[in-house]
Amino acid sequence: MSGALARLIRSGPAGAGRPETCELCAAPVAEEHAHLFETAADEIRCVCGPCSVLFAGQGAGGGRYRLVPRRRVRLAPVDTAALGVPVGLVFFVPRADGTVTAQGPSPAGAMRWEVDSGAWQGLAAACPPLASVVPDVEALLVNTVRGQEEHWIVPVDDCFRMVALVRAEWQGLSGGGRVWPAAARFFAELTERS
């Protein structure tokens, strides 16, 4: 992965020292800005407000770029055990081709697994809001670490912000004393932004 989110993951949340620019027109972008998913490269791109408007409609840009939505929906706890991912902080991204990936944060960035698409479809049947997750640009974000029960439908850029946060705060073998409070603040901010 390269592009905007790879830079975010490499630099961590404190890497905001240099101003970001739109990856389509090079105009400066605000700290809170839109993102596009570039389908051919499987990457997220930062965009300014005017450029994001160009891709707001269904099929805009011939499908080459897709605007990452801003929807954040907190769900009742979802039993993700059938998806077979052995970590408690993870996000699941259904893909346009029908596959599903799971990604979890680590000190080195995002770890990635393939998830059985039939298991995902079964989960979506049991939890109807999951059937509305927009492929490639939205995800199911789960936090069951340390007794938490957070289950969200979020834009994929939120997921990669979480990965960057964990990478920046992780210390030692178990994460140290900063990473889990930082993750709790991240989920509290999701509540405020939803």
Side-chain angles (χ1 to χ4, degrees), residues 22-177:
C22 176
E23 293 187 63
L24 295 182
C25 74
V29 295
E31 185 175 334
E32 287 285 323
H33 56 270
H35 291 103
L36 294 177
F37 176 73
E38 184 178 356
T39 55
D42 193 25
E43 294 179 352
I44 300 290
R45 306 284 183 202
C46 294
V47 291
C48 64
C51 285
S52 72
V53 171
L54 297 174
F55 299 95
Q58 186 75 295
R64 179 175 178 195
Y65 293 104
R66 296 180 46 216
L67 187 63
V68 176
R70 304 303 334 143
R71 172 174 81 138
R72 293 174 182 91
V73 179
R74 187 165 188 175
L75 303 173
V78 178
D79 184 5
T80 58
L83 301 178
V85 177
V87 295
L89 186 55
V90 64
F91 59 96
F92 300 91
V93 182
R95 300 297 183 162
D97 66 5
T99 62
V100 179
T101 60
Q103 297 181 57
S106 78
M111 302 176 296
R112 185 176 175 152
W113 303 269
E114 292 297 319
V115 173
D116 178 61
S117 58
W120 173 263
Q121 291 169 359
L123 189 63
C127 179
L130 292 180
S132 72
V133 172
V134 181
D136 299 316
V137 294
E138 287 188 315
L140 169 63
L141 176 60
V142 176
N143 179 14
T144 58
V145 175
R146 298 185 175 202
Q148 299 296 306
E149 280 294 335
E150 301 271 358
H151 297 80
W152 289 83
I153 295 173
V154 296
V156 292
D157 51 0
D158 279 353
C159 299
F160 286 101
R161 262 194 289 283
M162 187 258 311
V163 169
L165 174 93
V166 168
R167 184 168 190 236
E169 299 295 336
W170 194 277
Q171 296 175 327
L173 294 175
S174 64

